[in-house]
């Protein structure tokens, strides 16, 4: 049984993580929940994340996908909501599920799949999505998974992720 190593330390993902003391390609799984849209330059941010992701590693992100009145009323008057400078977004800080998939592909993730948190909605219709991106894989030892993943919680999103991860040579374990 492999040990699970968890660490916690600050990282300004808008700056080069290697210059902050992080090691290149050292993370098998990177989770980001409603944070990447808050960066000034999404393509640059995703390049930084790609530099940290191990061969065959996964990026799992949860992001809003378009304008909603409550978001604009809650965050629209804050300085940070409109601070983006990249051309990837047009005139609004959030991007569609399809655009997230394009951005991940451009950043070097070999595949990206969008999942709606609400099973009755197509990702293109959902106000938010979970996007799973995989970096370029390395050769695995015969019969061995390249990595092991642990999903906590019994939800439709967890089950969808559990179905997707084994296709990328990841041994997936779930707990409630």
């Amino acid at each position: 049984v492999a040990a699970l190593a968890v660490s916690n330390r600050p990282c300004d993902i808008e700056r080069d993580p290697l210059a902050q003391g992080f090691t290149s390609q050292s993370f098998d799984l990177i989770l980001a929940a409603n944070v990447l849209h808050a960066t000034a330059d999404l393509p640059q941010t995703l390049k930084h994340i790609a530099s940290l992701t191990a061969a065959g590693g996964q990026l799992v992100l949860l992001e809003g996908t378009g304008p909603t009145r409550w978001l604009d009323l809650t965050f629209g008057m804050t300085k940070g909501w409109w601070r983006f400078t990249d051309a990837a977004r047009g005139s609004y800080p959030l991007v569609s599920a399809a655009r997230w998939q394009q951005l991940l592909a451009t950043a070097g993730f070999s595949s990206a799949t969008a999942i709606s948190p609400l099973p009755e909605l197509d990702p293109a219709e959902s106000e938010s999505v979970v996007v799973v991106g995989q970096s370029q894989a390395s050769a695995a030892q015969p019969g061995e998974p390249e990595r092991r993943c642990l999903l906590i919680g019994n939800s439709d999103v967890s089950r969808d992720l559990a179905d997707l991860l084994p296709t990328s040579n990841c041994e997936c374990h779930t707990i409630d």
Side-chain angles (χ1 to χ4, degrees), residues 119-130:
E120 66 272 10
L121 289 180
D122 181 273
E125 301 168 348
S126 184
E127 287 183 2
S128 63
V129 292
V130 174

Side-chain angles (χ1 to χ4, degrees), residues 78-138:
T78 63
K79 180 180 172 184
W81 187 246
W82 302 103
R83 71 184 281 274
F84 61 94
T85 58
D86 60 68
R89 290 181 256 206
S91 62
Y92 197 74
L94 304 179
V95 299
S96 69
R99 185 68 176 132
W100 275 113
Q101 290 173 285
Q102 292 169 348
L103 288 166
L104 266 62
T106 301
F109 290 89
S110 61
S111 65
T113 303
I115 304 165
S116 173
L118 301 173
E120 66 272 10
L121 289 180
D122 181 273
E125 301 168 348
S126 184
E127 287 183 2
S128 63
V129 292
V130 174
V131 181
V132 181
Q134 180 181 3
S135 68
Q136 297 291 333
S138 63

Side-chain angles (χ1 to χ4, degrees), residues 18-90:
L18 305 181
Q20 298 175 63
F22 288 90
T23 304
S24 177
Q25 300 181 337
S26 59
F27 294 94
D28 289 321
L29 179 63
I30 297 176
L31 304 172
N34 291 312
V35 66
L36 298 185
H37 72 270
T39 62
D41 187 334
L42 272 179
Q44 185 64 42
T45 296
L46 291 171
K47 285 180 187 176
H48 289 159
I49 291 171
S51 76
L52 293 171
T53 309
Q58 303 281 328
L59 167 62
V60 179
L61 60 96
L62 169 67
E63 284 287 348
T65 57
T68 59
R69 288 183 184 155
W70 76 268
L71 278 175
D72 288 340
L73 288 172
T74 305
F75 300 107
M77 298 300 284
T78 63
K79 180 180 172 184
W81 187 246
W82 302 103
R83 71 184 281 274
F84 61 94
T85 58
D86 60 68
R89 290 181 256 206

Side-chain angles (χ1 to χ4, degrees), residues 11-24:
C11 176
D12 179 351
I13 202 61
E14 292 187 278
R15 294 187 4 218
D16 179 3
L18 305 181
Q20 298 175 63
F22 288 90
T23 304
S24 177

